[in-house]
Amino acid sequence: MKRILLLATLVFCSFSAFSQSKMACCARPSATQQFAMLASSQKFVLSHKTPLKYHFQSSIGKAITYKTTDGKEAAAYEFKAKTPTNNYILVIHEWWGLNDFVKKESENIYNDLGNVNIIDLDLYDGKVATTPAEAGKLMQGVNDDRAKAIINGAIAYVGPKAHIATIGWCFGGGWSLQTTLLAGKQAVGCVMYYGMPEQDVNRLKTLHADVLGNFANKDQWINVKLVTKFEADMKTAGKKLYLHQYDADHGFANPSNPAHNSEATAEAYKYTIAFFKARLK
């Protein structure tokens, strides 16, 4: 009898472990994981041309570190407001990493908005890619838990009274939306450039801020079909999406990108600044 009970217990435990394993392996990847998985496609990697040389040295920004919620530290680049304000923009880089393009774009936004704090987050922990192959490896190497710890650490760094807006491009476009979700009621606005949308309507229902989406109609991955679904999901969730679509390709706003589209960039930037001004008063 004891042998029968022992055998039954072993069978049950084995079945339970198998079921949990199967559930884990078959679980739907998060939006950020889905975008990272694109780097497994050689076509996707090769569609990102090696960036042109781009150098920028800021006279007002500075490197900082802060504690993250996993007990570690993170590096970032901060543009401090000239006079104290609770208005903050958290910036998330492209799949290349926190490079000079991101810092330059942040300084442009800083100058055009006036009195605002801007912090460029680094989800790659100091690594920057210069080739598509390197960028693909870095993006796939991002651990969601570590990325969220970096973001939550930044939210703690700016404090509970901060009004938080976000912006990101490509890899950072999707993470911009995720950062807004993590910011909860402190969030006041999200700008995402051609990034992976959140596809869980229930998560979108928890948004506390409007979203401005700048997307590219020639983008083969964050394509028109995916953007159309995002638009419908936001409507279902009862959230506001300001959608702008351009006759351009993925990465059009980066001047170091050979596929850079200056006309689309200027128009998208105009909408972005107006969006931020209306929410960071």
Side-chain angles (χ1 to χ4, degrees), residues 13-266:
C13 291
S14 298
F15 177 76
S16 178
F18 172 77
S19 299
Q20 290 176 13
S21 174
K22 186 175 180 181
M23 286 176 65
C25 76
C26 298
R28 182 182 178 86
S30 67
T32 52
Q33 289 169 341
Q34 287 180 58
F35 193 82
M37 288 163 62
L38 292 175
S40 298
S41 165
Q42 190 71 358
K43 186 177 180 182
F44 176 81
V45 173
L46 293 177
S47 72
H48 290 74
K49 305 300 180 185
T50 298
L52 303 172
K53 289 185 177 181
Y54 190 87
H55 178 69
F56 169 71
Q57 180 63 51
S58 175
S59 61
I60 55 178
K62 68 173 184 177
I64 63 168
T65 59
Y66 60 88
K67 294 188 181 301
T68 54
T69 54
D70 56 0
K72 302 178 183 178
E73 285 193 341
Y77 200 77
E78 182 178 41
F79 295 86
K80 197 77 172 173
K82 295 175 182 177
T83 57
T85 176
N86 286 324
N87 290 334
Y88 284 84
I89 298 177
L90 300 183
V91 180
I92 301 89
H93 53 78
E94 295 177 299
W95 84 325
W96 304 108
L98 180 48
N99 58 16
D100 283 355
F101 158 68
V102 177
K103 295 173 184 177
K104 173 60 176 173
E105 196 68 7
S106 294
E107 184 164 303
N108 289 341
I109 294 171
Y110 176 88
N111 289 329
D112 288 337
L113 286 182
N115 203 47
V116 65
N117 301 288
I118 298 182
I119 302 176
D120 297 340
L121 307 189
D122 185 357
L123 301 192
Y124 286 177
D125 279 315
K127 300 180 181 70
V128 176
T130 56
T131 68
E134 289 175 355
K137 289 179 181 177
L138 288 177
M139 185 171 74
Q140 286 191 311
V142 171
N143 178 287
D144 270 17
D145 289 339
R146 171 59 180 161
K148 290 175 182 177
I150 291 171
I151 293 166
N152 283 325
I155 293 171
Y157 173 81
V158 301
K161 294 182 179 180
H163 307 134
I164 300 173
T166 69
I167 184 171
W169 306 261
C170 179
F171 162 84
W175 275 108
S176 174
L177 182 56
Q178 297 303 318
T179 301
T180 296
L181 286 164
L182 290 171
K185 293 182 179 180
Q186 288 185 254
V188 296
C190 168
V191 176
M192 56 187 302
Y193 277 75
Y194 34 81
M196 181 66 76
E198 175 57 57
Q199 297 175 54
D200 184 340
V201 175
N202 287 328
R203 288 207 73 215
L204 291 175
K205 287 179 180 179
T206 68
L207 274 170
H208 288 274
D210 297 338
V211 177
L212 170 66
N214 293 315
F215 294 97
N217 288 336
K218 294 179 180 179
D219 194 328
Q220 297 179 60
W221 292 274
I222 311 300
N223 53 39
V224 173
K225 182 179 179 180
L226 190 60
V227 174
T228 300
K229 181 183 181 303
F230 180 44
E231 183 178 24
D233 287 347
M234 285 287 283
K235 187 174 182 179
T236 300
K239 303 302 176 180
K240 182 65 177 178
L241 171 66
Y242 296 87
L243 179 61
H244 300 285
Q245 295 168 280
Y246 302 93
D247 186 30
D249 210 338
H250 187 86
F252 70 78
N254 188 335
S256 70
N257 180 4
H260 173 60
N261 185 312
S262 58
E263 185 176 336
T265 298

